[in-house]
Amino acid sequence: MTSRADAKSYSKTDRRGLDKEIWRLAIPAFLALVAEPLFLLADSAIVGHLGTRELAGLGVAGVVLQTIVGLCVFLAYGTTASVARRIGAGDTAGALRQGIDGIWLAVIIGVVVTIPVMVLAEPLSRAVGAGDEVVGPATTYLRIAVLGVTPLLMMLAATGVLRGLQDTKTPLVAAVVANVLNIVLNLALVYGAGLGIAGSAIGSVIAQVLAAGMLTYVVVRAARGQGVPLRPDAPGIRASARAGVALVVRTLTLRMALLVTTYAVTHLAVGDQAVALATHQIAFTLWTFLAFVLDAIAIAAQALTGRSLGAGDTRETRAITARMVWWGVVIGVAAGVLLAALSPFLGALFTQDQAVRELLVPVVIVAAIAQPIAGVVFVLDGVLIGAGDGRYLAWGGVWTLVAYVPLVALAVALGGGLAWVWITFAVGFMGARFVVLTLRARSDRWLVTGA
């Protein structure tokens, strides 16, 4: 058993070394995370000039694709943890074997998903809100763009392998190359070739295939160097799938909480619904951007926690956790202060609507106050993912959701406005996650060592 006093003494003697390792992984991870949304942003900017119908269709298709890929994020997170453990245990070949299994699992899931989505593109588009005017462009884009799902899932799995190998720079390079190519191809195919929204989908798929090829090549080259076979291994693939179930449940609970929050905003009894939804969207966009910073530390936590536990060093694991939590709080405080200071001016960047600007200020202040809590939550989530504690995270997500839904429903029923919904989100949802994660982190039950 390790004590928190051990962690404190360790961090005092080697803080610089810990910080160097954390930021060596976190900074490239942050830049890669920021680059990811640029695929859709570039498509939106280019397709937007075709017309409102096309832009709306892109938005509808994007919801379907982002949902599929979002639910499969376990391919990155789970692989990072398992590969890092093997690396910590000195089993590089075993780490790469698990990585290859993860990539094969990504291929299987991608193929299984692609054909049904192509066939059901139109009903799926209608299911997420496309009307008669929009369903045509949405269906066109979705039927082509879904061909990029398999490469996207392979990118997730290969990125997880590389993070487990303590390499976050290669995924950053692949993301930058893919984004530049995506913009060039979109412009050439949409306008140069006159293919319209179909050209945008084709360009994105080509860029995704290239990025997947780059990352997979790096993993395959490393596997060959260790003499690891590249053929599918059924037991290994099944093991990767089983390990991913808990993380899928965790991800589902997070997405359901966000959907419940948006649903609550649409049912507010106070004020104009359009104003509330527009303000909520702006506030959530700001929240998401700040989450990228904290998620980068969480990615470093996954890699470093897995490695130290694989090496059997619980004292180092405690020290790394304590240091990353400290950084999470510091960054959360800094982000909160900056967000609060800028709250009167942020609205002008997004809208000319004075009602939205005024409503945004108290909502942003609530989000600012919650940032230090978010810092701890994101870091500890990464630590426990790195420790392979997915089952606890899944159940913790379920109980957090059970606690949050009645609270946000009560806030709406009592006639609270948007600010109250955000207060409920900060206290009820993020606060519950804070309690669930800190209680686990203070115990020793997640400190399972070995490969």
Side-chain angles (χ1 to χ4, degrees):
M1 179 178 290
T2 60
S3 69
R4 282 171 290 283
D6 288 337
K8 290 179 181 178
S9 65
Y10 185 97
S11 63
K12 286 179 181 178
T13 59
D14 201 17
R15 284 180 182 173
R16 289 183 181 178
L18 288 176
D19 290 346
K20 185 177 179 180
E21 282 210 275
I22 292 167
W23 293 111
R24 176 180 63 83
L25 296 171
I27 291 174
F30 167 69
L31 295 174
L33 287 170
V34 171
E36 285 176 12
L38 293 180
F39 260 104
L40 188 56
L41 184 62
D43 288 359
S44 299
I46 294 168
V47 171
H49 287 85
L50 292 173
T52 304
R53 288 178 63 251
E54 288 80 2
L55 183 58
L58 173 66
V60 167
V63 169
V64 177
L65 295 170
Q66 288 174 335
T67 300
I68 294 169
V69 176
L71 290 176
C72 293
V73 74
F74 73 90
L75 289 168
Y77 290 176
T79 305
T80 296
S82 60
V83 169
R85 269 188 178 271
R86 293 279 183 177
I87 291 296
D91 183 11
T92 303
L96 289 164
R97 175 67 266 176
Q98 288 193 325
I100 295 297
D101 292 339
I103 292 174
W104 276 113
L105 178 61
V107 172
I108 293 169
I109 294 173
V111 171
V112 169
V113 165
T114 298
I115 296 173
V117 172
M118 288 184 72
V119 173
L120 301 172
E122 182 174 342
L124 283 172
S125 297
R126 290 190 183 278
V128 296
D132 291 338
E133 189 179 5
V134 174
V135 72
T139 301
T140 298
Y141 188 91
L142 184 56
R143 278 191 176 142
I144 299 171
V146 74
L147 294 171
V149 165
T150 300
L152 278 171
L153 298 187
M154 291 176 67
M155 286 169 62
L156 284 177
T159 296
V161 177
L162 293 170
R163 288 172 179 171
L165 295 172
Q166 317 295 298
D167 174 12
T168 55
K169 291 182 180 178
T170 302
L172 171 60
V173 172
V176 171
V177 171
N179 274 285
V180 171
L181 182 62
N182 181 54
I183 293 171
V184 172
L185 288 173
N186 266 257
L187 289 171
L189 295 173
V190 172
Y191 298 112
L195 296 178
I197 193 170
S200 176
I202 294 169
S204 293
V205 170
I206 293 172
Q208 289 155 0
V209 169
L210 175 66
M214 290 175 61
L215 293 172
T216 304
Y217 170 76
V218 174
V219 175
V220 167
R221 184 180 62 185
R224 283 178 172 169
Q226 292 291 323
V228 174
L230 303 179
R231 63 181 179 274
D233 177 59
I237 294 171
R238 286 197 297 270
S240 295
R242 283 195 300 271
V245 170
L247 292 180
V248 170
V249 173
R250 163 201 168 270
T251 303
L252 275 172
T253 60
L254 295 179
R255 289 188 172 271
M256 287 176 67
L258 299 178
L259 286 173
V260 166
T261 306
T262 302
Y263 184 80
V265 174
T266 66
H267 286 73
L268 290 174
V270 180
D272 186 337
Q273 185 187 77
V275 169
L277 280 169
T279 306
H280 176 71
Q281 179 60 33
I282 294 170
F284 191 70
T285 299
L286 294 168
W287 177 277
T288 302
F289 177 77
L290 292 175
F292 285 147
V293 183
L294 299 173
D295 212 19
I297 305 176
I299 287 169
Q302 293 170 24
L304 295 175
T305 300
R307 189 190 69 185
S308 60
L309 287 176
D313 193 340
T314 56
R315 182 169 172 265
E316 182 183 63
T317 304
R318 283 286 189 196
I320 290 171
T321 301
R323 193 60 179 166
M324 284 188 290
V325 167
W326 186 86
W327 275 115
V329 172
V330 169
I331 293 173
V333 170
V337 170
L338 183 62
L339 200 58
L342 294 176
S343 59
F345 314 105
L346 290 170
L349 299 176
F350 297 92
T351 181
Q352 299 298 318
D353 191 320
Q354 190 60 34
V356 173
R357 291 187 186 185
E358 291 175 0
L359 183 57
L360 184 64
V361 174
V363 173
V364 166
I365 288 175
V366 173
I369 293 171
Q371 287 305 303
I373 296 174
V376 176
V377 166
F378 275 72
V379 167
L380 290 182
D381 190 55
V383 166
L384 295 180
I385 289 174
D389 204 18
R391 188 173 182 180
Y392 179 84
L393 291 173
W395 280 108
V398 170
W399 290 116
T400 297
L401 192 63
V402 168
Y404 174 59
V405 171
L407 290 175
V408 73
L410 181 63
V412 174
L414 293 176
L418 182 62
W420 277 106
V421 171
W422 270 79
I423 289 171
T424 307
F425 175 76
V427 176
F429 180 63
M430 295 303 294
R433 290 190 72 197
F434 178 89
V435 171
V436 165
L437 294 171
T438 52
L439 284 176
R440 187 65 165 182
R442 290 175 68 85
S443 75
D444 285 334
R445 296 187 66 181
W446 58 280
L447 290 168
V448 179
T449 58

